[in-house]
Every structure is written in C-alpha cells, then in structure tokens.
Amino acid sequence: MKKTTKLLLGTAAMTLALTSGAFAQDVSRENTVIFDLDRTIADPENFNWMTDGTGIRRMHGAHQTMWEPLFILNYNTGELDPWLALEANSDEGGAVWTIALREGVTWSDGEAFDADDVVFTVNMALENEELTAREVATLRGQVASVEALDSHTVQFTLNAPNPRFAVENFGVRIFGSFLIMPEHVWSAAEDPATFTFFPPIGTGPYVYESSASNRAIWDRADSWWGAETGFMDMPEPERVIFLESGGEESRAQLMIAGDLDAAQNLSVGTFEAIQAQNPDAMAWYSDYPYAVADPCARQMEINTTVAPWDNANMRRAVSMIIDRTQIVNIAAEGATTASSTMFAQYGSMSPFIDAVVEAGHGLSPTADVEGAQALLEAEGWTRDGDYYTRDGETLSVEIHVNSASTEYTRTIDMIVEQLQRAGIDARSVPVENGVFWGEVLPFGAFTMSYSWLSCGSVNEPWASMGRYTVADVVPVGERSPGFNNTSRWDGEAAEAYSAIVDEMETMALGDPAIPGMVAEAYQYLDAEMPFVPLVQAFKLMPFATTYWEGWPSADNYYNHPFFHWNSGHQIIHNLTRAE
C-alpha cells in the first residue's frame, strides 16, 4: 500500500548543520562514503566497547572499519565466512573448541595480531565481572579456560558442550561479536572497566581520524595486512563517515541532497518520496516489500496461565482470526511478508522452515474467522450481539504493546480491530518502553503482548526454539530468565517439545536429522500456540548509488544490509566508485 510523505526540502541550512565539520577538504565527496548514525555519540573519545550495553561505542564505525571479527556469518548460506580466523573446530562432544587464526595479521601500529591477543582479551573478560557488554557476559558464561597452542592457534574449554560456540561469540550472528583487543595496549590499563582506549587502534584498513557527538570519521590506512597477504584488496573508499542524521525526515533530506549514502530504517512512504526526487536511491528489493527481514520476527505472546487463554483451542482461535496479509498491507505499508513459522525467513533458515511447512504446521497468511469461531463455540462461547459470552462473561482481552514505535502500536491496533470483528472484546494497552521490558514482559504481567521473543535463530533453529522449553518456566510474578518462555507454557505438550529441543541443543550444526526434529517439535507449538507468529520484522534501509555501487540487495546477496553491524566490513569492501 503506497503512502505519500511530504518532505520539507527548503532546509539546506539543516543539512549544512548536520554535515558541518564532517567533511575535511583533503578527501573529496567522490572518495567518501557516508553512513547514517541513528543516535548521538554520548562519549566520543571512549572506545571501551566491553562496558557498553548500547553498542554506540562500536556502531559509529569502530567495528565496521577498525575492529575486525574472527568470522562473519553469511545469512544467505548459513556459513561462517573467515576473516581474522580461518576455521573453528570442536571435539566430538563440542566442549573443546580450537580456532586457527590467519597468519600475517597486524594491528594498525605494526604490532602482530596473534593468539596471545585472543587469550589476553578472553581472560580479561573472564576475570572482570564489571565488564558487562552482552558479548562479554555471554563468553564469560560459556568459557572455563583458554590457552594458546601456538602463535596462531587458540583452544577454548567450555563449561558445557555448545555446537554454536563459534558463531555465537565470534561470528557476528546478530549485531556484534566478541572483539579481540591489542594486548600491548590494554595490558597497561589499571582498570579494564574504566580504560577508554583512546586513541583506538584495530586491525582493519581504516584508522581513527576524529569524532564528535554527531559524527565519527575514519580514514583509509596507507597499508593493511589483508592487501599485503592477498586476503582482499584495499577498500576503495578513502574516507568513511558515520553521521547522525537526526531522524527520518532529516535523513531523507540528506539522501535527496546526496549527503548520505546509506540510511537507517525508513517508512515506505518516505522511501518512495526519496526515490521520486533521487532516482539513485535503492532498497533491498526493487519493489514491494522493499525492506529486508530483520532477525527478530514479530509475534504475539500469550500468557498461558490466564483463563480462558490457558486453553490451547482459545489461543489457536486467536491465531486463526488474525489476517497477517492485512497487517502487511496496512500496518507495515507493504514493507514485509507474513510469517509462516516463528523463524526469520533467511536463506540459511530455509531447510527448517520448509520442514515445518511440509509437515503441515505452517501458518496461513489470511484469516479463517469461521474456523476460529467454531473453536470458540466448541468451548461453550456463544455470540451475543457484538461479542461472545459464556456464563454471563464477555470474551475479552487486553493486549499490551510497547508505545516506543508506531510499527508496534499500528500492528496491535490492527489485531484489536480483527478480534473485535470476530466477536472478542479486545483492547490495546500501550505502555512506556521501560515499563514494557522491565515489568510487563519478564514478570508475566500481561494476557497478550506484542513482542519478538523468538529472536535468535538466523542460521540454525535451536537459538529460537530453545527459548520456549519448560526449563525456563517460572510463576507469574517471577522474572523469566532471559525473557525466555514468558508465556509460561507448560504441560505434557510443552514437555514433549522440550525433550526434542533439548536433544537438538548439543547436536552439531548441519546434522541432517535436525530439520525433521524441528518439524516434530513444531507440531506441539502449532497445537498449543503459546505465541502467535505474525509477520517478519522489516528494515527498509536505503542506499544511494550516486557515488558508490556494490550495495547488498536481494539481487546482490553477498550478505545482509545491516551496515551498523560488525559485518559492515563486507559492505565497505564491496563498494566501488560509481561510473
């Protein structure tokens, strides 16, 4: 569904204000690539990523140009593309992992990057509880010890077998990875938690030039280990700028003016308005749905302890009433697709999604209101005017939704309307972001709630499916561990599901038995419906080909387009100057 957005184009002064000071005269615009930064840099001269919970100390270019990962997960193939490391292998049990590092890697100051840097950084994470970044905490919970077998081989002994260890910690599975720091610099830090690591260095082909609250500038180094060893050519952009755009309207104006090459998420209407005035603008798809799927597919959580929704047939009825195509066309403006399962629909997830669908457990994109009403009536509910009633009680439900985004509220407003038409007295309950994540979801203080708590699986199914096992069931009023199983799904079906998923946990990635096991376990989700998959999460992140070509797209799928992630290195290396 198209939407026209009026952009205020007579704001050259604002464009100049945003870009003022960002463009030094020694590098031309034609040799500079400018990425959107959707937030302010609170502390521009602090590069200690290990204490940062928001990612801002990395996503302003540090982990896209300077700090390189060991591997990068390819969302299309499901494989780990080697970067600083060549391969990662585990013993048969999956409790001991060996990672082979690439030879010839150097830090930008000329010091060698080797196994000692890896061991030092990992031990720093293990020994300092005050280092709280998500990747640090994850690694600390998994690793018992680490040692260098030689200058380019590192061995990890885990607390428990984990076939996902390499991709979870070093593969940029979602957003970032555990970043290795230079021992020869960090060893001088008196306190790793307060060390600012300024000026920073890395192994990447770019070096820090300057930063402020609204921008960070990175200049291409004179030499880079990757080019010297034959791993990859030097990237073409001479300068990379991450520029705070100031919101949707201003980032649109910057793209129209040619002062932004890659933008953060936009609405469909705004993107189409940009294209109308700048034909060089492109998206993941050349037409609807335009946007790429985000890893966190949208769903509606149902508290299975609250009557009458403690009845699986009642929950199934809700799922059948929901018209996902209508959500796509109206709430999402056509920028996404209906979910057929709980999973994000990437190429690497196709074997598992296909197994579920072929087994007959996939969801319909359209509603089956008559079938849903038959389920309600079989449970003793009778349509009395606008709503169903039973024993004098009107069938009603409140759906909590985070008010931080119009995407969330528009989706739930649409679902409320669909339930109302079907005879359920539904009502949206918007709550502030902090309350939603701090009180409503984790403590089960909801009946139904908009969420994306199946987030996790991008190349294998356990990361998402493992979030709904009975091991994480706690009473309402107690915090769900890691937001897992906030629906409090329990009982025989949940136990049968959990037994299969628990067995999958320690199986090697790529085991040919896994797709069949996914389908077998999914029958219980389909029958019990502790949550209702809705649509794919979507990111409409436009690029401009005025100055640079080679952007990722559905037709040029070398990887996903999330340039603010640690995988941004791949995007920069694929850019070529526009003819």
Side-chain angles (χ1 to χ4, degrees), residues 152-236:
H152 291 89
T153 310
V154 182
Q155 186 175 87
F156 296 83
T157 301
L158 308 186
N159 295 316
N162 181 4
R164 288 160 295 280
F165 173 73
V167 68
E168 282 182 354
N169 293 281
F170 301 112
V172 199
R173 186 183 66 162
I174 295 178
F175 177 68
S177 61
F178 185 89
L179 296 163
I180 306 305
M181 294 290 100
E183 179 186 15
H184 65 283
V185 176
W186 278 73
S187 59
E190 294 184 7
D191 181 359
T194 59
F195 184 55
T196 60
F197 190 24
F198 185 82
I201 64 168
T203 60
Y206 292 89
V207 294
Y208 173 81
E209 198 278 338
S210 64
S211 59
S213 61
N214 69 334
R215 65 183 182 272
I217 303 176
W218 310 86
D219 282 347
R220 193 176 64 188
D222 294 332
S223 62
W224 172 57
W225 67 267
E228 293 176 351
T229 62
F231 167 57
M232 196 175 291
D233 291 338
M234 289 289 285
E236 287 196 21

Side-chain angles (χ1 to χ4, degrees), residues 491-507:
E492 291 184 6
E495 290 173 358
Y497 167 89
S498 299
I500 299 168
V501 174
D502 288 347
E503 184 180 353
M504 286 167 45
E505 181 179 5
T506 57
M507 294 173 66

